[in-house]
Amino acid sequence: MVPRAGGSLTADWERFFEWKRVEREDEPRRVSLEVILRGVAEPGRLLDLLENFVLFSEHKTGYVKILAQNHQFLGVNNAIGSMLQARSAGHGRAGVFWQTQGSGKSLAMVFFAQKVLRRVPGNWTFVVVTDRTELDDQIARTFKETGAVSDADSKSCHAGSGAHLRQLLTANHRYVFTLIHKFQTPEVLCDRRDVVVLTDEAHRSQYDTLALNMRSALPNALFIAFTGTPLIAGEERTREVFGDYVSIYDFQQSVEDGATVRLFYENRTPELRLQNPTLNDDIYTLVEAAELDENQEQRLEQELGRQYHLITRDDRLDTIAKDIVRHFLARGFQGKAMVVSIDKATALRMHDKVRTHWQAERSRVETELAKARSYASKAEPDAVADLGDRLRVLTTTDMNLVVSPAQNEIEQMRQLGLDIAPHRKRMNEEALDDKFKDPDDPLRLVFVCAMWLTGFDAPSCSTIYLDKPMRNHTLMQTVARANRVFPGKHSGLIVDYANVFASLEKALAIYGKGTGGATPVRDKRELVEDLRRALDAALVYCLGHGVDIPAIAALPTGNLSRLTALADSVDRLIAPDPVRKDFLAHERLVHAPYQAVKPDPVVTEFAARVACLAVIGAEIRQRTNPGPPAISAVMFQINNLLDASIEADGFRIPTVREQPGPPYGVIDISAIDFAALAKRFEKSQRKNVEIERLKLAVRAQLEKMVQANPTRVDYPCPRTLL
């Protein structure tokens, strides 16, 4: 195979990326050996990549090596070129850097600043501007983890006020982190010419006025805006401050490159429907205003009046909570999930209701499992295993509220019959953000209203339960929480309870206007069609090799004829190597969308045929995997499926260490009786399986022989095998 992708030697294969452009973002995107060689291996670019586009990020598990992707390499170099032009022209507008959420925008900011410090002469200071404390902390943490900012500086270079900002700039810090709200007046804070302002998400509504103040406060600075969503009509002032685009990497490009996963939309608006068709439009402005100051939540409730209470009706929330429990437990790729509510009180109520239904479901499953495991039960083993898996998730899953603090919130919530104290205690004492980001931590469900909706990356988060009216950038930034790449994650899912589809369509009409204009969020029905096409292709491929999957699926489960048919299918698809690899590729292409579609009832249409493919694929992997077979979570796996009927003479290799001698699956080739082996192959009905088993054993023994005798001098290796 000709290499066409690049990545760090320590990275998983999923993190390798294709290099599709050489010099410019607007050149045709091509995947070829020529492009990656010219784009990466040309001496100047290779040295640039090694010097300026490699970072080492420190985490609890150790250091992670980060290599810039194609879009980051081109975008950052474009931004530096634009910055130098703005400096020469004297206007300071270095441009707008639009690279979609999840594609590494924060890391691009680090690449940009670090390369300027290394390669551009000057006593540079970078002022990193955000509009929320949590975003300020998050971006500062990124700079700290990658070594751009020391631990001491990360604590001391946060501006607490305009006066403190002036002091920090006078003290000549390399990096200064501040909120946009520090620029309340247009007074001059610093007139240095070697100051670069990096703003994150520079087109929010509050930037209209404050950005002009910022420009006046730093009259000789260079301004560049980093954003994950495009500028829209009404944001002309953003261009006045920052200029035009210097880099565009939209959602569709990101998905095509594998930098993010696809997003799918599912409308699950409860049957209790809102009768006012303009409800969302009526409350958009109030909701967005509340985001500016979360203490305005009480004012929001008062002004929304009856409409607010329609959204927060107890029976409606109870219906949604029950559906969230059912939906999350049935997800194929479960991962983590965020439940987004309209305000703090509603988020807390939703948490309490979900926990109530969660406990009820746990009790039900415990009862069902006890019955299924009883002596008199005739339950299918697969059904018992499914109940066991469901109970494991129910008993291990942690959930919590994540909201910003406010004065007197405990008393305010108590007046509403809610207890926020345990949640606030955990938020203060535990690193809930790290727990949620850790895929192995049991904190799988969080309930939010504003926090973590922007600037927060949890790659294993696969589902957003949205019960809050939103629009434009806020909506797109929220749904993008589910688009991060993670092993086993086919796509992200947006479950809509607030009927924001019309707003989503409007946002997508803007959001998709990158280079391709494609809609970044797809209807879930498209995912079903993806599954249908992948399954049809797999069935055609199998039929071409004498395996009729629909016919096998029609046979009764556990029937001997079904087991025999599956065993025959394994033999036909396990060899030669190209056939096996193609089949396993088809099986993976079916498995991923099948897991993503769940728990939609439409999966029942595909379940039997997908189960057959999964069993065959699992058995092939088990028989061709070096060493003892691993325990896997493949759905409908049949333990030792073919052992009982693998040869006509009933020969069986032990699955455990039943007697002294070599471990499972290992044969001493120096003691092979080739005459007996020939007779055995004459009798075997499934020669491909036997060949693969023998190949595996020979390979394992040869590896031991080579390790014991690397020079292979006078070693009695049987020549009949060569």
Side-chain angles (χ1 to χ4, degrees):
M1 178 179 176
V2 177
R4 299 175 298 180
S8 168
L9 290 176
T10 58
D12 297 330
W13 174 248
E14 291 82 3
R15 285 294 180 182
F16 275 64
F17 50 88
E18 295 171 332
W19 204 274
K20 297 182 178 180
R21 295 164 295 184
V22 178
E23 297 179 344
R24 306 182 319 277
E25 289 187 341
D26 59 351
E27 66 185 67
R29 297 157 61 83
R30 295 183 298 132
V31 179
S32 71
L33 180 60
E34 176 198 358
V35 172
I36 194 170
L37 287 178
R38 291 180 56 215
V40 173
E42 187 273 327
R45 294 191 183 95
L46 180 60
L47 291 175
D48 188 18
L49 192 66
L50 294 176
E51 179 186 10
N52 302 305
F53 292 92
V54 177
L55 297 172
F56 290 89
S57 183
E58 185 178 8
H59 300 273
K60 291 182 178 179
T61 56
Y63 282 94
V64 175
K65 187 177 182 180
I66 300 170
L67 179 66
Q69 297 189 24
N70 188 197
H71 64 279
Q72 293 169 319
F73 182 80
L74 294 176
V76 167
N77 281 329
N78 286 349
I80 292 176
S82 177
M83 185 201 79
L84 295 177
Q85 291 177 5
R87 189 187 192 194
S88 299
H91 55 63
R93 294 188 295 274
V96 177
F97 186 99
W98 168 28
Q99 295 196 353
T100 195
Q101 294 108 325
S103 64
K105 174 170 57 70
S106 297
L107 290 172
M109 297 173 74
V110 180
F111 288 131
F112 172 87
Q114 291 294 88
K115 182 171 181 179
V116 170
L117 288 171
R118 290 192 190 101
R119 306 300 299 171
V120 182
N123 186 28
W124 297 102
T125 293
F126 296 91
V127 181
V128 183
V129 182
T130 59
D131 71 331
R132 291 189 185 179
T133 302
E134 57 266 27
L135 292 183
D136 189 44
D137 293 339
Q138 182 266 331
I139 194 67
R141 189 182 307 118
T142 299
F143 276 78
K144 173 188 170 184
E145 290 173 348
T146 54
V149 177
S150 68
D151 184 59
D153 285 344
S154 68
K155 298 175 182 177
S156 63
C157 58
H158 284 263
S161 63
H164 188 207
L165 177 59
R166 180 190 294 109
Q167 178 184 343
L168 289 173
L169 292 172
T170 304
N172 200 25
H173 286 272
R174 179 174 291 180
Y175 290 99
V176 174
F177 299 91
T178 183
L179 296 174
I180 187 69
H181 307 92
K182 301 298 182 291
F183 298 96
Q184 291 293 331
T185 63
E187 65 174 310
V188 176
L189 298 179
C190 178
D191 60 357
R192 288 169 48 195
R193 302 186 63 83
D194 49 10
V195 173
V196 181
V197 177
L198 310 179
T199 63
D200 191 11
E201 299 300 344
H203 48 54
R204 300 181 198 270
S205 57
Q206 61 265 45
Y207 274 77
D208 273 355
T209 300
L210 297 177
L212 295 180
N213 290 343
M214 179 174 62
R215 182 64 187 268
S216 299
L218 304 169
N220 297 319
L222 297 163
F223 294 82
I224 181 167
F226 287 80
T227 178
T229 51
L231 306 182
I232 61 174
E235 294 177 340
E236 291 77 8
R237 286 193 176 182
T238 304
R239 287 190 174 88
E240 290 179 22
V241 176
F242 301 103
D244 290 318
Y245 290 119
V246 296
S247 177
I248 294 178
Y249 188 65
D250 62 26
F251 196 108
Q252 190 63 25
Q253 290 175 311
S254 177
V255 170
E256 290 173 357
D257 291 347
T260 58
V261 300
R262 290 190 294 174
L263 288 177
F264 288 90
Y265 169 88
E266 181 179 5
N267 191 329
R268 296 178 73 85
T269 304
E271 301 235 343
L272 175 63
R273 296 188 180 275
L274 303 176
Q275 299 301 314
N276 180 4
T278 64
L279 174 63
N280 288 346
D281 289 333
D282 291 345
I283 64 178
Y284 278 144
T285 303
L286 291 171
V287 172
E288 291 177 348
E291 288 185 1
L292 296 178
D293 180 359
E294 292 190 28
N295 291 328
Q296 292 180 350
E297 291 169 358
Q298 185 174 2
R299 172 192 158 207
L300 171 66
E301 178 176 353
Q302 294 172 350
E303 295 195 29
L304 286 174
R306 188 181 70 89
Q307 294 176 335
Y308 173 87
H309 291 291
L310 279 175
I311 294 175
T312 59
R313 278 184 59 176
D314 191 71
D315 53 351
R316 177 182 180 276
L317 296 181
D318 195 67
T319 299
I320 293 173
K322 187 175 182 179
D323 188 70
I324 288 173
V325 173
R326 188 195 70 81
H327 188 278
F328 181 73
L329 290 172
R331 288 282 281 147
F333 175 84
Q334 202 160 64
K336 306 287 183 91
M338 301 174 72
V339 181
V340 185
S341 298
I342 192 170
D343 63 5
K344 183 186 299 185
T346 308
L348 181 52
R349 291 171 63 194
M350 184 62 75
H351 165 273
D352 294 346
K353 289 181 177 296
V354 167
R355 188 173 287 278
T356 298
H357 288 292
W358 193 273
Q359 295 301 328
E361 177 65 8
R362 175 177 174 174
S363 299
R364 186 194 70 80
V365 172
E366 287 175 338
T367 302
E368 290 292 324
L369 190 58
K371 291 180 181 179
R373 287 174 173 170
S374 65
Y375 180 78
S377 173
K378 297 182 180 179
E380 292 286 340
D382 289 340
V384 176
D386 288 344
L387 284 172
D389 291 341
R390 192 177 184 91
L391 183 60
R392 177 186 57 80
V393 176
L394 284 164
T395 54
T396 60
T397 294
D398 184 18
M399 60 185 74
N400 205 76
L401 183 73
V402 178
V403 293
S404 300
Q407 290 184 346
N408 302 321
E409 67 175 3
I410 294 179
E411 179 59 29
Q412 290 173 1
M413 294 298 110
R414 185 180 291 117
Q415 291 177 3
L416 297 173
L418 302 170
D419 184 9
I420 198 174
H423 298 277
R424 181 57 62 197
K425 185 174 186 293
R426 290 195 66 186
M427 285 183 271
N428 291 337
E429 297 180 358
E430 300 180 36
L432 294 182
D433 55 345
D434 290 337
K435 286 177 174 286
F436 192 71
K437 291 177 181 181
D438 182 357
D440 298 322
D441 191 276
L443 181 61
R444 300 189 180 103
L445 275 169
V446 294
F447 298 79
V448 303
C449 60
M451 285 188 67
W452 291 10
L453 298 186
T454 58
F456 180 79
D457 293 341
S460 62
C461 180
S462 63
T463 312
I464 303 295
Y465 296 105
L466 187 57
D467 191 30
K468 176 178 181 176
M470 292 179 170
R471 63 178 175 181
N472 296 343
H473 305 303
T474 304
L475 175 58
M476 295 314 306
Q477 288 157 358
T478 299
V479 302
R481 297 310 100 197
N483 77 341
R484 273 50 173 178
V485 174
F486 186 79
K489 178 178 169 181
H490 172 271
S491 54
L493 179 63
I494 312 304
V495 180
D496 177 17
Y497 293 115
N499 202 21
V500 301
F501 183 69
S503 296
L504 186 62
E505 284 187 314
K506 292 177 183 177
L508 295 179
I510 301 166
Y511 194 81
K513 288 182 181 177
T515 56
T519 299
V521 181
R522 310 293 180 84
D523 193 294
K524 193 176 179 182
R525 288 173 294 186
E526 294 188 31
L527 185 57
V528 175
E529 291 306 312
D530 288 347
L531 171 59
R532 195 185 309 279
R533 285 190 292 269
L535 181 58
D536 289 345
L539 299 183
V540 169
Y541 181 83
C542 291
L543 192 60
H545 291 82
V547 177
D548 189 345
I549 295 295
I552 298 174
L555 296 172
T557 302
N559 188 280
L560 181 60
S561 60
R562 181 187 178 98
L563 295 176
T564 302
L566 288 170
D568 290 338
S569 301
V570 170
D571 185 67
R572 291 190 175 97
L573 296 170
I574 200 172
D577 288 351
V579 172
R580 179 175 68 253
K581 291 178 180 178
D582 288 346
F583 167 74
L584 292 178
H586 278 291
E587 192 270 334
R588 285 193 296 270
L589 290 174
V590 170
H591 177 77
Y594 179 76
Q595 294 293 94
V597 168
K598 294 169 66 177
D600 197 303
V602 75
V603 298
T604 56
E605 174 189 343
F606 309 100
R609 290 169 293 172
V610 172
C612 289
L613 291 173
V615 168
I616 295 170
E619 192 64 23
I620 288 176
R621 292 187 184 95
Q622 174 178 313
R623 294 186 179 279
T624 56
N625 181 45
I631 298 174
S632 63
V634 179
M635 192 176 182
F636 303 111
Q637 178 183 9
I638 300 178
N639 294 326
N640 302 318
L641 176 64
L642 305 180
D643 284 342
S645 57
I646 196 63
E647 292 105 15
D649 60 2
F651 179 84
R652 182 175 65 88
I653 294 178
T655 58
V656 296
R657 191 75 173 271
E658 296 176 355
Q659 51 188 313
Y664 168 82
V666 176
I667 300 172
D668 185 355
I669 63 175
S670 63
I672 290 178
D673 185 340
F674 289 95
L677 185 63
K679 292 181 180 179
R680 176 177 159 192
F681 271 103
E682 289 177 1
K683 297 172 63 179
S684 176
Q685 296 179 357
R686 302 186 179 98
K687 295 182 174 58
N688 284 336
V689 172
E690 290 296 330
I691 290 171
E692 291 302 317
R693 189 189 291 272
L694 182 59
K695 283 168 59 178
L696 178 61
V698 170
R699 186 185 308 120
Q701 190 65 13
L702 283 175
E703 288 176 357
K704 291 176 59 178
M705 292 165 61
V706 169
Q707 291 176 1
N709 183 21
T711 59
R712 296 180 293 281
V713 176
D714 297 328
Y715 201 94
C717 180
R719 295 183 179 276
T720 53
L721 289 177
L722 304 178

